[in-house]
Amino acid sequence: MTDINTLVNSLEKVKTIRSPYKRSIKWFGLSLALMLIITYAFKYFTQQNMFAYPLYFYIENAILTLVAYCAILSAFLYSSPDEQYQLKAKKLAVFCSVFWIGLFSYCLYHCYSMGHIIHQLKNAMIDYQNFIEILSIGAIPAIWLILMLRKAFPTHKRVIGVLTILGSLTLAMVFSRFLDIVYEPTHMIIWRYTPVLILAILSYWFSDRLLSR
Amino acid sequence: MNNWNELLKQSQQGNKNSYKKFLTEVQPFVKAVIYKRSENQSIIDDILQETLLAIHNALHTYDSTRSAKSWISVIAKNKTLDYLKSNQHKLSQAEDIADLKMESSNNDTNNYDLEKAMKQVSIKQQEIIVKMKIEGKTAKQTALELEMTESAVKTAAHRAYKLLKEFLEV
């Protein structure tokens, strides 16, 4: 039984945490910088031209970046005990899920309309290093994000877990795409979208432990 | 309620008197939030304790520019859901054990244990258990016969199962 006197006696001056908006911007800014450095390091070794891509590539990446930020902001809002924040978190979670799945579906449709998905599948199966790149770029920011969220009061742990992995790895996915010479939708589906989606879904079952103090 | 904002703000500064006043004043509100999600009286006190502990641990997350009521409400809801989720199997297990013991009493085995266990619960609770577990009556039928409300029967039965479980497992 929790005795009020025990709680009162153990009270110390506490340092309040910043608003979820400020914390999300802090994470996003620093993670972008870190991911950029790691991507440039990869680029240095592969000697590729970083900006030689079609316009669509940049539009898709801009949308993915926005979706990633929304997922991260939603996770921060969910970890702040406030009814207004929780409502906003819910809306943002729906928004980013719809957009993410929309882009995924569009990419899938693009593959299908090109008519060579089976052929591409065979070639794409050997490119697992792209997935390793996503993990290398996104691992540290993802771990840092989990630690930041644990410091607050994560309410919907499983949803937060999915949003955390979806947000941080989608951002890593954006950066890892600059490591590819060509834009190939089938490849995108197999080695970028699908692994991120699978990891996000898996995180649903591990989040309770990861986010509990 | 603005008073709670002030009390919380002072508590964050380490003011123990304000904190004690806040924890005392907030209890009826927390109980009401819990009650909306679980009408089971026997567990409300347990969840209240967990919520107070959670409030203590989450004190640093309170933003004094926002509503204290909203902050407390989210914590209480969250703790209620956590408690119900984590204790779901325990609650049903308690009922299962009571069921098993009732079955064994019909077979004239372990009667002595059961008789001793039944002494741990009140006469009213004994009546409820006999009606629901031996005579196979529903909570509604039991409530009608004992001139109680259905929820009161369920609460009393639940408490009795818990007591029986604790006694029989020792």
Side-chain angles (χ1 to χ4, degrees), chain A residues 2 4 82-83 151 155, chain B residues 12 27 49 60 66 70 78:
Chain A
T2 311
I4 287 183
D82 185 288
E83 281 172 338
K151 272 188 188 171
T155 51
Chain B
Q12 286 178 328
Q27 288 189 39
Q49 301 300 322
H60 65 293
R66 303 191 70 84
S70 168
N78 189 255

Side-chain angles (χ1 to χ4, degrees), chain A residues 31-32 34-44 46 48-51 53 57-58 60-62 64-65 68 100 127-139 141 166-184 187-196:
Chain A
S31 296
L32 278 180
L34 181 67
M35 287 181 184
L36 196 64
I37 292 167
I38 298 171
T39 311
Y40 258 105
F42 272 118
K43 229 24 178 179
Y44 177 79
T46 50
Q48 290 157 12
N49 181 3
M50 212 167 199
F51 302 103
Y53 299 98
F57 174 87
Y58 293 103
E60 190 186 342
N61 279 335
L64 280 171
T65 307
W100 202 95
D127 289 338
Y128 62 89
Q129 67 267 28
N130 294 128
F131 177 52
I132 305 292
E133 282 165 9
I134 293 177
L135 287 182
S136 313
I137 297 169
L166 194 71
S168 53
L169 292 190
T170 298
L171 201 59
M173 180 171 92
V174 169
F175 278 94
S176 76
R177 292 182 70 186
F178 285 97
L179 297 170
D180 269 354
I181 303 166
V182 287
Y183 173 70
E184 176 51 62
H187 181 84
M188 275 292 295
I189 289 285
I190 298 170
W191 289 112
R192 299 198 194 281
Y193 278 103
T194 307
V196 171

